Amino acid sequence: MQPPPDGLASISRGTVLLVMSSASYRTAAFLEAARSVGLDVSCALDTPESLSSNIEDNVAVDFSDIDGATQRIVTFARERADVRAILAIDDRGAVIAAKASAQLGLPHNDPDSAIAARDKLVMRNRLRAAGVQVPEYQSYPADIDPSSIANHVSYPSVVKPLLLSGSRGVIRADTPDEFIAAFERTRSILDASGMPPDENEVLVERFVEGFEVALEGLLTDGRLETLALFDKPDPLDGPFFEETIYVMPSRLPDDVQAAISSRAEEAADAIGLRHGPVHAELRVNRATGDIWTIELAGRSIGGLCSSILDFGAGMTLEELILRHAAGMRATPRQRNEAGAGVMMIPIPRSGMLRGVTGLTEAAGVQGITGIEITAPLNQPIVALPEGSSYLGFIFARSDSAEGAERALRRAHSLLSFEIAPILALRPADR
């Protein structure tokens, strides 16, 4: 391991075990952050047993077998003896990380809180029980006939799977007919995801007016430190809810930002999250001042979005998280207040991605600092609500949030994506 740039001793200060999918975007960022602070990193990867021999100094686990994965991690950590923290990078690994940490006596969230942060119905039940404002909601068996309940639902409503992420299967309905179609489509998405409708539920909640923000923070003994607050300038009003642009610093008044942070801390307390990174999605109604918790995850922001965060002296979000997890001092902590933004490039339609043009022109837009196309060419891409990924990411920096937003929109307008239809093949008649 090379010496850390801040002059710290080059010997390892211990190991942080990351619980993650093998396809995570975040691996490189966490590995680089660990190198910079003198921590070793091992990974508990959601990997088939047949490939477990190929992951060297890591451990293969099956996320679908929570108890089995927990025990494999506990055994691995005890053999290493120097594991200081276990950190989930993805939602699916949060319960496993919490259970393993509890057995090893490492800092952790209660496993039930990790479940609540992932399951939309459990989350809303806990929020309501604690008096935290939530929309009117009800869950139904996924295999119910939606026409039997369509006239009893308040409109506009939003149909949501309980466990899928990335707005997958989330659909707005304004009328009973739209509700029936939305419910049936969400049910099909569940079935295609290996979640049989006769074993799963669907959440139906009242759509709340307002604009959305995203909050990034760290919890220590239940106290929330807000690290960043992103505005989402594109309206998220449906029928689908694909996120596109995040910009910072937030342009909201200071008192509104403080109220958002307080609501996120209340929500974390209600759910039972008390330690580690938090990513919250909240909706704010300008007219009433109501702040609604839409999602609250016990992890940091996904994708490549964290790369626009700079906490001074080159400190990244991943470095802050690793220092916090390992009990290390984490200064400096003053975030750069210049404008920055990221666009998660939406998939306009499903099909086969054949090519991307305009990259040179888009990259030349003033303020654009990088463009990464993460969707592989000549592979199927799936748009929302069935899909759960993006074509890639555009990054921008400017002297203001407005400047970063303009740069992102201009760069995106210069990109062109060739998406061919996927032809269904049938056996030839003999």
Side-chain angles (χ1 to χ4, degrees):
M1 179 177 294
Q2 298 178 5
D6 59 2
L8 298 174
S10 62
I11 60 171
S12 173
R13 297 180 168 195
T15 296
V16 173
L17 182 62
L18 303 179
V19 183
M20 61 195 297
S21 163
S22 57
S24 174
Y25 289 112
R26 315 269 323 267
T27 305
F30 272 101
L31 291 177
E32 174 59 24
R35 186 202 66 79
S36 72
V37 299
L39 285 167
D40 286 336
V41 169
S42 290
C43 300
L45 295 166
D46 184 19
T47 304
E49 184 72 24
S50 60
L51 299 178
S52 61
S53 61
N54 298 327
I55 62 173
E56 298 179 354
D57 194 32
N58 301 312
V59 56
V61 298
D62 178 359
F63 278 10
S64 65
D65 178 8
I66 291 176
D67 290 339
T70 298
Q71 291 310 309
R72 285 182 66 85
I73 290 173
V74 168
T75 300
F76 179 85
R78 285 175 174 160
E79 290 174 350
R80 285 295 304 255
D82 66 343
V83 173
R84 298 183 60 173
I86 300 175
L87 187 66
I89 303 305
D90 308 306
D91 289 325
R92 293 182 63 223
V95 178
I96 297 168
K99 283 180 171 287
S101 296
Q103 288 195 35
L104 293 163
L106 298 173
H108 66 284
N109 287 309
D110 185 286
D112 287 343
S113 71
I115 294 172
R118 184 168 179 237
D119 187 306
K120 295 179 178 65
L121 178 58
V122 177
M123 178 186 297
R124 279 149 184 75
N125 286 342
R126 289 199 175 192
L127 291 173
R128 183 167 63 182
V132 179
Q133 192 170 36
V134 291
E136 174 188 339
Y137 68 92
Q138 178 66 52
S139 66
Y140 298 95
D143 61 353
I144 196 173
D145 178 0
S147 64
S148 68
I149 57 175
N151 290 322
H152 304 287
V153 172
S154 298
Y155 295 100
S157 66
V158 183
V159 179
K160 297 182 175 184
L162 299 187
L163 296 175
L164 297 181
S165 60
S167 298
R168 190 178 182 200
V170 179
I171 308 173
R172 173 174 168 166
D174 292 344
T175 66
D177 286 345
E178 288 183 6
F179 173 80
I180 292 169
F183 197 100
E184 290 176 342
R185 191 168 182 178
T186 297
R187 178 167 58 203
S188 296
I189 292 168
L190 280 173
D191 200 22
S193 302
M195 299 179 177
D198 60 348
E199 299 177 9
N200 288 274
E201 296 180 64
V202 170
L203 182 72
V204 179
E205 68 181 19
R206 182 68 181 261
F207 173 78
V208 293
E209 299 287 344
F211 61 91
E212 286 197 18
V213 296
L215 180 147
E216 207 65 24
L218 276 174
L219 285 166
T220 305
D221 295 328
R223 300 297 299 174
L224 177 67
E225 177 186 4
T226 297
L227 300 175
L229 185 66
F230 298 95
D231 291 340
K232 301 182 186 182
D234 284 339
L236 290 168
D237 293 331
F240 313 130
F241 296 86
E242 186 163 44
E243 296 186 301
T244 50
I245 294 177
Y246 281 24
V247 292
M248 52 180 269
S250 175
R251 290 162 280 187
L252 295 172
D254 290 345
D255 60 335
V256 177
Q257 294 191 43
I260 290 169
S261 294
S262 295
R263 177 51 49 85
E265 185 175 88
E266 292 171 0
D269 183 64
I271 291 169
L273 293 174
R274 298 190 56 79
H275 183 80
V278 167
H279 177 75
E281 309 279 344
L282 305 103
R283 187 172 282 252
V284 183
N285 186 304
R286 286 188 187 273
T288 66
D290 290 333
I291 301 173
W292 310 80
T293 304
I294 304 300
E295 302 288 345
L296 183 69
R299 55 159 174 82
S300 55
I301 193 170
L304 299 176
C305 300
S306 67
S307 64
I308 66 172
L309 293 171
D310 177 0
F311 295 93
M315 185 177 290
T316 65
L317 176 65
E318 289 77 16
E319 183 175 333
L320 273 180
I321 291 170
L322 287 175
R323 285 179 175 272
H324 184 268
M328 299 167 60
R329 185 169 57 89
T331 55
R333 226 173 175 88
Q334 184 61 43
R335 187 179 55 76
N336 189 334
E337 289 297 329
V342 57
M343 171 180 272
M344 294 154 277
I345 305 173
I347 296 175
R349 62 185 180 278
S350 299
M352 189 77 71
L353 180 61
R354 294 300 191 189
V356 183
T357 58
L359 283 168
T360 301
E361 294 80 2
V365 171
Q366 183 176 0
I368 295 301
T369 59
I371 301 175
E372 292 198 35
I373 303 301
T374 53
L377 294 180
N378 301 313
Q379 294 294 322
I381 53 174
V382 183
L384 277 178
E386 283 76 16
S388 60
S389 60
Y390 299 94
L391 290 171
F393 301 83
I394 307 173
F395 308 96
R397 292 195 180 278
S398 183
D399 57 359
S400 67
E402 291 84 356
E405 181 182 342
R406 285 195 300 270
L408 291 170
R409 294 193 189 281
R410 175 59 179 159
H412 183 240
S413 72
L414 295 172
L415 296 177
S416 180
F417 298 91
E418 182 185 354
I419 302 172
I422 297 177
L423 303 178
L425 300 179
R426 292 181 298 176
D429 294 333
R430 295 194 179 206

